[in-house]
């Protein structure tokens, strides 16, 4: 039998050889028809032309221009998606830095500020911000020319824009691909600003009050200042109108987003008052968060999304400056984290993990305004100063102002938002931003490179932010307090907002949620003479702190 097998094997080998040969021939033929390298895919035949494969020079130019615009659209939309993901980072960071008994409440605010902010911005916020900035498509994405009604006084023949007047509900002239792309990108920036107070006001803010705040801030407070800076408003035109550099410049939002959010957070936390037990005989007490791992994950997500935040603000994927912006962003975050880590180590004998994480964010906030206009050493310096400033700022807010900010939002976003704007006025080196805001043909230049006017414009922008955002926020919070009340009842705060403000706690094992649906299973009737089981206690366990 074995001999028979051996005798038949040579024939099998021949069949195998023939099969392999056939496979190679077939594969070679298929390879000849395929394009595995991509070198033959796409060409002149893909250029839209009246005569396929023979485009005219005008048709080639049109195709090239539309390709450039398309790349910019993809870049801006993708960057917007990254910034949207930062909402998850804020939710995790704020929840981790606060106590478990209000975790679902904090998460709910971070979820709902997204939905509330989108709809408020859609109704009128976007129109007020960008409804006067429209113009012809250029090297970067812009609102369409149909959104070009800027409302404001005319002084010496120039409109000092206060707010836009086109684009309400994304209708009319805003029913345009450019307007929709810009809406998505600007909306996620607005939502970042609105999220900042949810951390500073955590563990004692009524959801009804929060909901009203979300609509008003997205429809009025944020968009008006954003128009002044990014919508063609009066701050951006200080260079053309009064000769202050290139006007107020805020590349990706140290002021528009972070200072606005930090100011609303400071005012809101002051109106709301501190958490019960935060201050004993006037002295601040530490109230640790319940999950630093969660908070750290949130900070890493924020750092990742910040590449979309800053680099996306070129509004053009064809702008090669994105490499400088992204790298400066990374350098500043590292310097901020290391500075806070080292500063707390020297101050307390051991590094503070939460301050180190906030130092990472502080460096990012600080570099957000100047990231496109400074070199790498300046980015490291900006981030390092931010890392020290966030520690000093948090201690100042808590110990000097007596304001309870559970996550350090005011120090991270408010203090470092101001520092970032000043840093641009100091360190901008003139290598980028030529003609920005109808300003000089030279690049944006700070004080240390010869233009004190730019620093002056930045100071005006900071003052305008504080003078607009602080009073309007204070009025809003006081009116909400009169209408529905800002703060939860003390007994609800002590047990935890998860057991009163929402219908289900984040950690159900910590105690039954009062007012939440609870399934109760009734035991079958006991047999005659059998011992009756003792009923379970209806008193919930004390909520975990």
């Amino acid at each position: 039998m074995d001999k028979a097998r051996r005798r038949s094997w040579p024939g099998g080998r021949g069949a195998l050889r023939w099969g392999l040969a056939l496979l190679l021939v077939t594969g070679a033929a298929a390879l000849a028809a395929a394009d595995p390298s991509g070198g033959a895919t796409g060409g002149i035949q893909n250029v839209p032309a009246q005569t396929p494969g023979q485009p005219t020079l005008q048709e080639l130019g049109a195709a090239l221009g539309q390709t450039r615009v398309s790349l910019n659209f993809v870049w801006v939309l993708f960057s917007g998606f990254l910034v949207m993901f930062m909402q998850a980072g804020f939710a995790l960071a704020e929840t981790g830095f606060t106590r478990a008994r209000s975790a679902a409440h904090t998460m709910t605010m971070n979820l709902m500020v997204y939905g509330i902010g989108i709809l408020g911005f859609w109704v009128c916020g976007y129109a007020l911000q960008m409804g006067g900035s429209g113009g012809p498509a250029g090297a970067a994405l812009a609102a369409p020319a149909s959104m070009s009604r800027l409302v404001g006084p005319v002084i010496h023949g120039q409109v000092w824009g206060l707010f836009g007047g086109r684009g309400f509900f994304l209708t009319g002239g805003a029913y345009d691909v450019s307007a929709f792309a810009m809406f998505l990108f600007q909306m996620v920036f607005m939502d970042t600003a609105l999220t900042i107070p949810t951390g500073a006001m955590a563990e004692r803010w009524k959801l009804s009050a929060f909901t009203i705040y979300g609509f008003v801030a997205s429809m009025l407070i944020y968009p008006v200042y954003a128009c002044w800076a990014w919508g063609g408003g009066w701050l951006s035109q200080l260079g053309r109108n009064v000769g202050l550099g290139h006007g107020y410049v805020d590349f990706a939002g140290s002021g528009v987003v972070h200072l606005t959010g930090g100011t609303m957070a400071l005012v809101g936390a002051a109106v709301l008052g501190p958490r019960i037990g935060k201050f004993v005989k006037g002295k601040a007490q530490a109230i640790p968060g319940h999950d630093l791992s969660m908070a750290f994950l949130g900070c890493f997500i924020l750092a990742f999304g910040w590449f979309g935040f800053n680099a996306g603000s070129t509004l053009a994927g064809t702008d090669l400056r994105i490499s400088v912006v992204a790298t400066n962003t990374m350098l500043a975050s590292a310097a901020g984290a290391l500075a806070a880590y080292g500063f707390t180590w020297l101050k307390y004998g051991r590094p503070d993990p939460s301050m180190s994480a906030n130092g990472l964010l502080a460096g990012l906030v600080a570099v957000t305004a100047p990231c496109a206009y400074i070199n790498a050493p300046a980015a490291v310096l900006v981030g390092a100063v931010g890392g020290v400033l966030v520690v000093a700022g948090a201690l100042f807010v808590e110990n000097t102002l007596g304001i309870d900010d559970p996550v350090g939002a005011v120090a991270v976003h408010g203090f470092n938002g101001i520092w970032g704007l000043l840093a641009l006025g100091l360190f901008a080196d003139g290598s980028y931003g030529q003609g920005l805001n109808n300003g000089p043909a030279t690049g944006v230049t700070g004080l240390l490179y010869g233009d004190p006017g730019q620093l002056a414009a930045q100071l005006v922008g900071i003052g305008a932010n504080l003078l607009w955002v602080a009073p309007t926020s204070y009025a809003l919070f006081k009116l909400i307090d009169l209408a529905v009340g800002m703060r939860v009842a003390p007994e609800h705060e002590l047990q935890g907002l998860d057991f009163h403000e929402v219908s289900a706690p984040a950690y159900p094992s910590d105690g039954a949620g009062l007012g939440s649906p609870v399934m109760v299973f009734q035991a079958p009737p006991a047999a005659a003479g059998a011992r009756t089981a003792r009923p379970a206690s209806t008193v919930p366990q004390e909520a975990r702190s």
Side-chain angles (χ1 to χ4, degrees):
M1 191 67 164
D2 292 339
K3 290 181 180 179
R5 283 201 192 97
R6 282 196 295 271
R7 282 196 300 268
S8 65
W9 180 245
R13 285 182 177 176
L16 181 61
R17 291 193 189 99
W18 279 108
L20 288 173
L22 181 62
L23 183 63
L24 289 172
V25 170
T26 305
L31 185 62
D35 181 23
S37 71
T41 299
I44 197 168
Q45 69 275 9
N46 298 108
V47 177
Q50 187 172 1
T51 304
Q54 299 179 26
T56 65
L57 183 60
Q58 185 175 5
E59 289 171 334
L60 281 171
L64 180 62
Q66 190 158 36
T67 299
R68 183 176 187 178
V69 170
S70 298
L71 288 172
N72 293 343
F73 265 65
V74 172
W75 172 246
V76 170
L77 289 173
F78 177 73
S79 297
F81 304 153
L82 286 178
V83 178
M84 181 270 169
F85 187 52
M86 291 173 68
Q87 199 68 35
F90 277 111
L92 291 170
E94 292 178 8
T95 304
F97 281 139
T98 52
R99 289 176 287 187
R101 64 194 190 191
S102 297
H105 178 270
T106 304
M107 279 283 186
T108 299
M109 289 196 294
N110 277 273
L111 171 70
M112 293 313 303
V113 77
Y114 178 70
I116 292 169
I118 289 174
L119 294 177
F121 202 61
W122 166 70
V123 170
C124 67
Y126 180 59
L128 294 179
Q129 177 182 332
M130 304 300 294
S133 66
L141 181 66
S146 53
M147 293 179 60
S148 57
R149 183 184 178 189
L150 190 60
V151 179
V154 177
I155 302 175
H156 298 301
Q158 301 294 341
V159 178
W160 288 59
L162 299 178
F163 54 87
R166 292 279 189 273
F168 297 96
F169 297 96
L170 282 178
T171 56
Y175 189 19
D176 177 277
V177 292
S178 297
F180 272 55
M182 186 64 79
F183 172 85
L184 186 147
F185 189 73
Q186 295 295 343
M187 185 284 301
V188 291
F189 278 61
M190 174 277 304
D191 224 53
T192 298
L194 264 63
T195 303
I196 294 167
T198 63
M201 302 167 71
E203 299 193 50
R204 70 260 199 220
W205 198 7
K206 291 176 67 173
L207 280 179
S208 55
F210 153 79
T211 302
I212 298 171
Y213 148 80
F215 278 112
V216 177
S218 64
M219 297 169 71
L220 178 64
I221 297 176
Y222 176 92
V224 168
Y225 183 77
C227 174
W228 298 352
W230 290 345
W234 68 274
L235 278 177
S236 67
Q237 302 305 308
L238 287 175
R240 181 188 66 178
N241 293 343
V242 295
L244 295 182
H246 286 73
Y248 171 73
V249 176
D250 184 3
F251 184 72
S254 289
V256 173
V257 176
H258 297 285
L259 179 55
T260 298
T263 301
M264 291 191 294
L266 178 66
V267 173
V271 171
L272 200 56
R275 290 169 291 175
I276 296 173
K278 177 61 182 178
F279 294 98
V280 177
K281 296 181 179 179
K283 186 175 181 180
Q285 307 297 308
I287 303 179
H290 82 283
D291 194 337
L292 280 183
S293 300
M294 178 189 293
F296 277 28
L297 176 59
C299 290
F300 275 119
I301 290 174
L302 287 169
F304 174 69
W306 229 288
F307 289 115
F309 206 95
N310 285 2
S313 293
T314 58
L315 300 179
T318 53
D319 186 345
L320 301 185
R321 191 71 174 188
I322 57 177
S323 64
V324 174
V325 173
T327 302
N328 280 346
T329 299
M330 179 184 290
L331 289 170
S333 68
L338 182 60
Y341 173 80
F343 184 63
T344 55
W345 199 339
L346 290 173
K347 185 175 179 64
Y348 302 115
R350 288 181 293 180
D352 186 303
S354 61
M355 281 295 185
S356 301
N358 271 345
L360 175 84
L361 301 182
L364 290 165
V365 170
V367 84
T368 294
C371 56
Y373 307 107
I374 59 177
N375 56 32
V380 172
L381 176 60
V382 168
V385 172
V388 175
L389 182 60
V390 74
V391 179
L395 294 174
F396 174 77
V397 168
E398 189 171 272
N399 298 324
T400 303
L401 299 182
I403 293 175
D404 181 15
D405 179 359
V407 304
V410 175
V412 170
H413 301 279
F415 286 37
N416 277 284
I418 291 174
W419 163 234
L421 293 171
L422 294 176
L424 186 150
L426 293 171
F427 304 124
D429 61 11
S431 62
Y432 185 71
Q434 290 80 2
L436 180 70
N437 292 335
N438 300 309
T442 55
V444 177
T445 306
L447 174 65
L448 298 182
Y449 289 84
D451 187 2
Q454 189 60 56
L455 181 59
Q458 301 304 103
L459 289 169
V460 173
I462 292 168
N465 185 289
L466 297 175
L467 290 173
W468 165 251
V469 178
T472 53
S473 298
Y474 181 78
L476 170 63
F477 290 133
K478 295 299 284 187
L479 287 172
I480 292 174
D481 197 26
L482 290 172
V484 299
M486 283 280 286
R487 187 169 183 139
V488 299
E491 59 271 23
H492 294 177
E493 180 182 344
L494 287 171
Q495 187 177 20
L497 274 59
D498 281 13
F499 305 98
H500 298 278
E501 285 285 299
V502 294
S503 65
Y507 305 102
S509 62
D510 290 344
L514 301 181
S516 64
V518 179
M519 298 182 70
V520 179
F521 297 93
Q522 184 175 358
R531 184 178 177 183
T532 304
R534 181 182 176 183
S537 172
T538 59
V539 179
Q541 303 172 34
E542 184 179 357
R544 190 169 90 189
S545 62

